[in-house]
Amino acid sequence: MPAFWHLGHHQSKWWGYNNIGEIEYVLENFDKADLPLDAMWSDLEIYKDNANFDYDEGRYPHDAMRALYEKYKKRWIVVVQAYIPTQRDSICWTYPNPLDYAVKDGLTGEPLKGFEFGGWMYFFDFLNPKTEDYWVKMLEHVDSKMKVSGWWLDANEVTDLVNVFERSTHLRNLEKRK
């Protein structure tokens, strides 16, 4: 059985809460309007440069976030995506050999790289039994910075949005010709 609050009222905005003040504004207004709210969800903006697992303490100070959710008695669900950012300064690269846990090209043996909302990245190989250790370490890292109520696993499939964006641009150009 899920926890009772799982079945309650949730609020999420796909991109757009740029700092703790904007999150507090939402919580405060739900409270003022006496609207039911059990949990808020945060998307990739909580990470530095939208890089998975790399919590942005500057815009979302740990202690202040914890105090904010305690003040309003709400749960916090944080997004995590199934990829390793290519940015070498990301927390993901502090773990030894992160590319050992990436899906490899069947011909070259090189890690596959794709483009997601967080930028260029490598896909996790969940068929590799060692990937679980890496994944757990990264989740523990984020949780150590800010205790979260739950995880939102997004983009857990191999996706490359470059073609999607190119196709969208192409379709818009075709529509202009009509």
Side-chain angles (χ1 to χ4, degrees):
M1 293 294 295
F4 187 68
W5 66 268
H6 289 192
L7 305 173
H9 297 87
H10 293 237
Q11 195 278 339
S12 176
K13 178 179 178 182
W14 185 62
W15 297 93
Y17 295 128
N18 296 306
N19 56 53
I20 189 173
E22 293 181 9
I23 292 174
E24 183 168 25
Y25 176 80
V26 171
L27 290 170
E28 183 178 292
N29 281 295
F30 265 84
D31 198 48
K32 281 181 186 175
D34 199 27
L35 291 172
L37 180 66
D38 295 292
M40 269 188 78
W41 295 49
S42 289
D43 209 334
L44 280 178
E45 69 266 6
I46 66 160
Y47 300 120
K48 293 177 192 164
D49 300 320
N50 303 320
N52 212 24
F53 305 115
D54 208 355
Y55 187 81
D56 188 341
E57 188 174 350
R59 294 187 302 147
Y60 308 95
H62 308 148
D63 293 338
M65 287 295 286
R66 185 176 293 115
L68 180 65
Y69 280 95
E70 287 174 3
K71 174 183 174 183
Y72 289 97
K73 298 178 178 73
K74 305 300 178 213
R75 308 289 179 151
W76 190 30
I77 299 173
V78 173
V79 72
V80 65
Q81 295 191 333
Y83 67 80
I84 304 164
T86 57
Q87 301 98 317
R88 299 290 172 137
D89 61 343
S90 166
I91 191 69
C92 294
W93 290 87
T94 60
Y95 198 88
N97 308 314
L99 294 183
D100 288 351
Y101 312 103
V103 173
K104 308 292 190 298
D105 182 298
L107 297 174
T108 66
E110 294 295 314
L112 288 177
K113 192 188 308 188
F115 189 81
E116 258 289 350
F117 293 109
W120 289 100
M121 48 72 197
Y122 300 101
F123 304 102
F124 274 108
D125 178 1
F126 286 107
L127 298 177
N128 178 343
K130 294 181 180 179
T131 298
E132 182 179 345
D133 296 334
Y134 179 88
W135 188 252
V136 166
K137 183 171 177 77
M138 293 297 101
L139 291 176
E140 286 174 345
H141 167 75
V142 175
D143 198 50
S144 74
K145 300 295 182 184
M146 178 60 209
K147 297 293 183 201
V148 298
S149 305
W151 297 99
W152 162 22
L153 178 58
D154 188 31
N156 61 331
E157 70 285 347
V158 175
T159 305
D160 188 352
L161 296 177
V162 169
N163 289 326
V164 172
F165 292 141
E166 287 176 358
R167 189 169 42 246
S168 297
T169 302
H170 178 69
L171 291 174
R172 282 193 300 274
N173 289 338
L174 285 176
E175 288 173 3
K176 287 179 186 176
R177 291 184 199 167
K178 291 181 182 179

